[in-house]
Amino acid sequence: MSSRRRRRAGGWDSIVPDRSHVVIAGVSTRALAASAARAGYRVTAVDAFGDADLAAVAAVVPLRREPGQPFVADEAARAVRSVPADFAAYTSSFENHPSAVLMLARGRGRRLLGNPANIIRGVRDPFALARALRLRGFEVPLTRASAPLARNRRRWLLKPRHSGGGHGIIAWRPGTGVPRRAYLQERIAGTPGSIVFAADGRRALPLGVTRQLVGLPAFGASGFRYCGSLLAGHAPLFPRQAELLARAGELAGAVTEAFGLRGLNTVDFIARRGVPVPIEVNPRYSASMELIERATGLLLFRVHAESCAGRLPRLPGAPAEVWGKAIVFARRATVIDDPTAWGIDLADVPHRGERIARGRPVCTVFARGRTGEACTARLARAARAVYAPAAVRGAA
């Protein structure tokens, strides 16, 4: 392993690698790879996109896939198994594939930065999660593996067991069945959100709370599809926000205690009357996290590595403004013109001339505002620049 030096950074004494090498794999790795590069790591990355700005911070290992084929975590882990590295880390959708996590960690003596396969199996089981939190006094949605009785008047969502980003979630219709690879979760009315936290296996440190943007047509999304986040600071994004933030911190602590989480994690919830009703745990780096890095300057990859080693950072200050990001999805089959001419703050930058199928992500846009409404409006304005005829053209 490469030599190390001691630094003072982010409010705690840290052992920082001197150009240690990390392999990062996942559907989208750009944000975590950029954070690792800023923290001083040499990065090799494999993901579904290989965007231009990922290539600026990492050596990119391409996946040899036919157009339109989905990302496969096992395939990504195999693609980098012969790459010599000190560490391995993952993003979505590795949380749904413990075998791929095992494969990623085994390569050439690497140390895994993140939750191991056995912890993933436990916390990603919706029934185990609901039981653990109910026993600790938290309100949780009802969860079922089979259809309820006809007289049951609750509303339900049909969710894939291997879920991510809202893909495949639909409103369940009474009288229909529940496939073996899906489950029913009680539909909770409220505002979707997420708490970001670092964990050391016993304790959790909340880093921020975000409001999720879901299914917004302004970004080419619909249904339950995740399309962005707003970072809550001093500006209110939820009803009874102070109560919600306190209870969300307790929720993060309870999940960590129950399952032994390490590194960066999130709990997705529905905010209802100041209470975060948990619906899912993402035991890995998640899309909302880069807003915290942008707003506070905290290097989240360093936080991830330190907390996996049992060292939690000092709590960052809350931002005064609302910081937001949105994923812009293609409304039709598209060929990219010149992203550098769009004149907006963006990431996950596609290559000039790249063909993007309808419904696939084009890029990520960013904005700030005094309120959630103002920030969302600025994100929508940035999305319109992406959709402009001068930016993209229809694919033949």
Side-chain angles (χ1 to χ4, degrees), residues 47-109:
D47 70 5
F49 303 102
D51 291 318
D53 47 346
L54 174 61
V57 298
V60 179
V61 176
L63 285 179
R64 307 299 182 188
R65 296 176 300 128
E66 294 297 322
Q69 285 187 331
F71 175 87
V72 179
D74 281 359
E75 183 181 327
R78 282 194 295 271
V80 293
R81 65 184 172 184
S82 62
V83 176
D86 302 300
F87 302 99
Y90 58 88
T91 66
S92 64
S93 59
F94 272 73
E95 73 277 11
N96 293 322
H97 303 282
S99 62
V101 172
L102 285 170
M103 193 186 315
L104 185 69
R106 275 199 298 262
R108 305 287 295 268

Side-chain angles (χ1 to χ4, degrees), residues 21-25 42-46 58-61 80 83:
H21 187 190
V22 60
V23 165
I24 303 176
R42 183 164 60 90
V43 184
T44 296
V46 56
V60 179
V61 176
V80 293
V83 176

Side-chain angles (χ1 to χ4, degrees), residues 5 7 16-20 35-42 302:
R5 61 186 180 274
R7 281 186 190 163
V16 179
D18 184 6
R19 298 300 290 169
S20 283
S35 182
R38 283 190 289 269
Y41 290 76
R42 183 164 60 90
R302 186 174 294 161

Side-chain angles (χ1 to χ4, degrees), residues 207-208 231-235 241 245 295-296 315-321 323:
L207 300 175
L231 176 62
H234 297 296
Q241 184 160 294
L245 298 184
T296 68
L315 186 67
E321 291 183 290
W323 292 64

Side-chain angles (χ1 to χ4, degrees), residues 281-303:
V281 174
N282 292 309
R284 41 79 178 168
Y285 184 91
S286 298
S288 61
M289 293 181 182
E290 69 177 316
L291 290 176
I292 295 170
E293 187 153 332
R294 281 179 159 244
T296 68
L298 193 65
L299 290 176
L300 287 187
F301 191 90
R302 186 174 294 161
V303 172

Side-chain angles (χ1 to χ4, degrees), residues 138-160:
F138 289 89
E139 180 182 348
V140 296
L142 296 178
T143 306
R144 298 182 56 93
S146 59
L149 297 174
R151 64 175 178 271
N152 186 300
R153 298 190 179 278
R154 297 180 187 273
R155 295 192 305 160
W156 301 89
L157 295 176
L158 182 66
K159 305 180 74 171

